[in-house]
Amino acid sequence: MSICFKRTLSAALIGLASAGALADNPTITERFSADPAAIVHDGKVYLYVGHDEAAEDGDFFVLREWNIYSSTDLENWTLEGEVPRTIFEWAEADSAWASQAVEHDGKFYWYTTVRGVDPEDELGGYTLGVAVSDDPVTGWKDALGKPMLNPNETDPAPHMIEHSHSWDDIDPSVFIDDDGEAYLYWGNSHLYYAKLADNMIEFDGEIHKVEIQNMPGTFTEAPWVHEKNGTYYLTFAMNYPEELAYATSDSPTGPWEFQAVIMDTLEDSGTSHQAILEFEGDDYFIYHTAALPTGGNFRRSVSIEHLNYNPDGSIQKITPTASGITHAAQALQSAADMDEYLRYGDDASVSLEELNADDRWNFQWHLAALVEGDNTVSFQPETRMGYYLSNQDGELSIERHDGTDAFARSATFTQVDGLAGQGSSYRLLDDSSVYLMTHGDSLTLGKPGTTAERKAASFMAMPVE
C-alpha cells in the first residue's frame, strides 16, 4: 500500500475541529462495551455487546447486562435495549459475557455466555444460554429454562481443573449455511461445535472438538464463522495477550486450515473479540479495544474497521485505527521544512521526520476535539486510540487520556489560519499566545514572533489515501 498526501488544507480537518466530535473509534463512547456481535434486519444493523462495569481499579470482568444498539449508517448508534443477565434465572453472578444473535424463520435467537448454577455440575462454570424473541431488541425470554449444555459434557483444559469452575464453554457463535443448516461454535482453550436442531435451541447430534491445522500458537476463544464466495472463514482469538487470526475450510464443519493473523495484540487490552458484518455491499470488522478514557482489560470499547479481501480470498491484515470507517487520517506537514512531517512513536515521543513508507502509520493522525469550542482540535495518533498529543507542564508528549477535564484541556488546541500565510496554526486552548512549533526535528511550544518562527508554527494537514 502506498501513501499519497494531497498538498492542500483538508476541508475535513476544518469540519472536524468545528464539530468538536469525539474520535470515530471507539464507535460506542457513552459507556464501556465488549464482545461485539451484529446482525442486519430490515435495513438496520443491530449491535449486541456486553456492558463492562468493572471499577477503574477492578481486577475481573463485571458484566451485569447486554446492551443492544442500532444504526442505519454504522456511524450514529442508538442504545435501544438493556437486557439483564437475570433473564436466565438459573445463572449467577455478573456474567453477561460474549453472545451472538441470529434471525431464523421470523424469530430471533440469542446465544449467550453466563455462569451456571447446577448442583449436579461437579466442576461448575460458565456455560451457554439461549433466549428467543419475535423482535431483535425486546421480548427476550429464556428458551430452555436451563443451560444448553452442562460443562461436564466438554473437556476443560488442564489449567481450569485446579479452579473452582471451568470456562471452556464460552463465546457462542452461530452460523446458518445456505442450505438452512445451523451450527453453534464456542470455546476457550478448546474449540467446539455442534449442529443445531430445527428448533434452534437444542443440539442435533454430538459435540465435536475442533483442531485447527498448522496453527502456530494456541486457540484461545472468540470463534466466529462466516462464508464468502464459497469459502468458509473461522476467525478467532489465539495466544495471550490475544491476537486475532483466521482459518479457512470448504465446509462449516471443517477441517480448518490456519491462514494468518489478521489483527495484532491490542494496546492496554489482553483480550480481543471480533464480529464480521456485511452491510450494504461492504464488509466490516467489529472488535473491542481499551481506548476510552480509564479503559483497560475490564473496561473495553467497541470499534469498527473495514474488512478487505485479496483477489485470492485471503483477508488483509487489519490495523486498529482512531479514524475508523468514517473519516480519513491526516498527515501534518511542516511549513518550515516541506520535507518533514509530524511523527509519533510507540512511546511518548513526537518528532519531525521525512516520510517513510515502511513506517507510514506513525505519520497518520486522527483530528477531533476533546473540548468543544470554536475551531478546537485534538491530535490522536491513528494507531494508538486513547492517546493524545498533550501539553505536560510545558512539554509536548503522547499521553493516555485519564478521563479528567484537565487532561482534555491539555490535549485541545485552537486552530487558526497559518501564521505564515499558509496552512493552519494551533495554539493552546488555555493560552492563546503559545503555539505548536517546530524546532529542528522536535515539536515544541513557543510564542512565535519572527517570520521564521511564524513559519515554524504553521502546518499543512492533508488526508492520507
Side-chain angles (χ1 to χ4, degrees), residues 166-239:
S166 64
W167 58 94
D168 62 318
D169 296 311
I170 67 171
D171 292 5
S173 179
V174 60
F175 171 74
I176 303 176
D177 206 359
D178 289 340
D179 61 6
E181 298 289 353
Y183 303 87
L184 195 70
Y185 308 80
W186 73 94
N188 178 289
S189 299
H190 295 155
L191 172 59
Y192 307 104
Y193 87 90
K195 184 180 175 183
L196 288 169
D198 291 341
N199 64 14
M200 296 293 288
I201 61 175
E202 296 173 305
F203 295 139
D204 180 11
E206 64 181 305
I207 295 172
H208 304 268
K209 184 187 291 187
V210 178
E211 297 295 335
I212 299 171
Q213 299 177 12
N214 300 315
M215 182 167 63
T218 57
F219 172 84
T220 307
E221 57 186 356
W224 183 285
V225 171
H226 75 283
E227 181 269 336
K228 184 79 170 181
N229 296 328
T231 297
Y232 295 85
Y233 295 82
L234 166 67
T235 53
F236 56 94
M238 62 182 285
N239 303 325

Side-chain angles (χ1 to χ4, degrees), residues 341-373:
Y341 294 77
L342 192 62
R343 179 189 183 279
Y344 62 88
D346 295 329
D347 48 18
S349 64
V350 58
S351 58
L352 273 293
E353 299 182 20
E354 292 188 8
L355 288 175
N356 180 350
D358 294 333
D359 190 28
R360 67 184 187 276
W361 286 110
N362 292 73
F363 291 94
Q364 300 180 33
W365 299 80
H366 178 71
L367 275 59
L370 284 174
V371 178
E372 293 188 11

Side-chain angles (χ1 to χ4, degrees), residues 21-26 29 267 291-294 322 342 344 347-350 365-371 377-382 384-392 395-404 407-413 443:
L22 291 174
D24 298 289
N25 269 331
T29 58
E267 190 164 18
L292 281 185
T294 74
L342 192 62
Y344 62 88
D347 48 18
S349 64
V350 58
W365 299 80
H366 178 71
L367 275 59
L370 284 174
V371 178
V377 65
S378 298
F379 302 87
Q380 187 173 188
E382 176 71 338
R384 299 193 68 194
M385 280 183 279
Y387 289 75
Y388 293 84
L389 176 67
S390 66
N391 169 28
Q392 302 292 314
E395 299 291 333
L396 291 168
S397 63
I398 306 297
E399 302 291 341
R400 182 172 172 80
H401 193 336
D402 62 9
T404 65
F407 181 90
R409 296 191 70 84
S410 76
T412 303
F413 302 82
L443 184 70

Side-chain angles (χ1 to χ4, degrees), residues 177-340:
D177 206 359
D178 289 340
D179 61 6
E181 298 289 353
Y183 303 87
L184 195 70
Y185 308 80
W186 73 94
N188 178 289
S189 299
H190 295 155
L191 172 59
Y192 307 104
Y193 87 90
K195 184 180 175 183
L196 288 169
D198 291 341
N199 64 14
M200 296 293 288
I201 61 175
E202 296 173 305
F203 295 139
D204 180 11
E206 64 181 305
I207 295 172
H208 304 268
K209 184 187 291 187
V210 178
E211 297 295 335
I212 299 171
Q213 299 177 12
N214 300 315
M215 182 167 63
T218 57
F219 172 84
T220 307
E221 57 186 356
W224 183 285
V225 171
H226 75 283
E227 181 269 336
K228 184 79 170 181
N229 296 328
T231 297
Y232 295 85
Y233 295 82
L234 166 67
T235 53
F236 56 94
M238 62 182 285
N239 303 325
Y240 193 87
E242 293 173 2
E243 306 162 280
L244 293 177
Y246 81 102
T248 58
S249 176
D250 59 6
S251 167
T253 62
W256 298 98
E257 180 78 17
F258 180 87
Q259 297 298 331
V261 171
I262 51 174
M263 183 176 283
D264 292 329
T265 57
L266 299 169
E267 190 164 18
D268 301 319
S269 175
T271 64
S272 201
H273 193 113
Q274 81 298 342
I276 290 173
L277 173 72
E278 184 175 345
F279 181 59
E280 295 185 344
D282 292 318
D283 298 294
Y284 300 93
F285 194 83
I286 313 174
Y287 61 106
H288 68 227
T289 71
L292 281 185
T294 74
N297 278 322
F298 313 112
R299 294 158 66 87
R300 297 159 294 178
S301 305
V302 167
S303 300
I304 304 178
E305 306 291 345
H306 290 286
L307 177 67
N308 297 304
Y309 298 85
N310 294 311
D312 64 359
S314 58
I315 296 177
Q316 295 180 13
K317 195 167 186 180
I318 300 165
T319 297
T321 66
S323 295
I325 64 173
T326 56
H327 290 79
Q330 307 286 318
L332 294 166
Q333 181 185 36
S334 169
D337 185 339
M338 302 289 278
D339 291 328
E340 292 197 329

Side-chain angles (χ1 to χ4, degrees), residues 52-266:
D52 272 341
E53 296 187 72
E56 188 173 348
D57 59 353
D59 60 0
F60 196 63
F61 303 102
V62 177
L63 295 103
R64 301 181 177 93
E65 64 182 16
W66 297 276
N67 292 166
I68 305 173
Y69 291 85
S70 71
S71 177
T72 57
D73 58 10
L74 301 186
E75 181 175 6
N76 300 288
W77 293 90
T78 300
L79 177 61
E80 294 221 16
E82 299 169 314
V83 181
R85 190 278 302 158
T86 53
I87 64 169
F88 300 105
E89 295 181 357
W90 46 265
E92 69 171 2
D94 300 325
S95 59
W97 286 17
S99 67
Q100 185 184 345
V102 69
E103 183 178 3
H104 182 67
D105 288 343
K107 287 187 175 293
F108 297 86
Y109 298 88
W110 192 2
Y111 305 89
T112 69
T113 307
V114 289
R115 182 162 176 168
V117 180
D118 187 341
E120 297 181 1
D121 178 1
E122 297 174 1
L123 184 60
Y126 289 84
T127 186
L128 309 180
V130 57
V132 64
S133 177
D134 295 323
D135 183 87
V137 176
T138 62
W140 292 104
K141 303 292 184 182
D142 184 352
L144 284 173
K146 63 180 182 178
M148 292 189 72
L149 78 162
N150 186 304
N152 289 321
E153 296 180 56
T154 55
D155 184 22
H159 65 273
M160 298 180 188
I161 302 300
E162 62 189 54
H163 293 268
S164 61
H165 64 277
S166 64
W167 58 94
D168 62 318
D169 296 311
I170 67 171
D171 292 5
S173 179
V174 60
F175 171 74
I176 303 176
D177 206 359
D178 289 340
D179 61 6
E181 298 289 353
Y183 303 87
L184 195 70
Y185 308 80
W186 73 94
N188 178 289
S189 299
H190 295 155
L191 172 59
Y192 307 104
Y193 87 90
K195 184 180 175 183
L196 288 169
D198 291 341
N199 64 14
M200 296 293 288
I201 61 175
E202 296 173 305
F203 295 139
D204 180 11
E206 64 181 305
I207 295 172
H208 304 268
K209 184 187 291 187
V210 178
E211 297 295 335
I212 299 171
Q213 299 177 12
N214 300 315
M215 182 167 63
T218 57
F219 172 84
T220 307
E221 57 186 356
W224 183 285
V225 171
H226 75 283
E227 181 269 336
K228 184 79 170 181
N229 296 328
T231 297
Y232 295 85
Y233 295 82
L234 166 67
T235 53
F236 56 94
M238 62 182 285
N239 303 325
Y240 193 87
E242 293 173 2
E243 306 162 280
L244 293 177
Y246 81 102
T248 58
S249 176
D250 59 6
S251 167
T253 62
W256 298 98
E257 180 78 17
F258 180 87
Q259 297 298 331
V261 171
I262 51 174
M263 183 176 283
D264 292 329
T265 57
L266 299 169

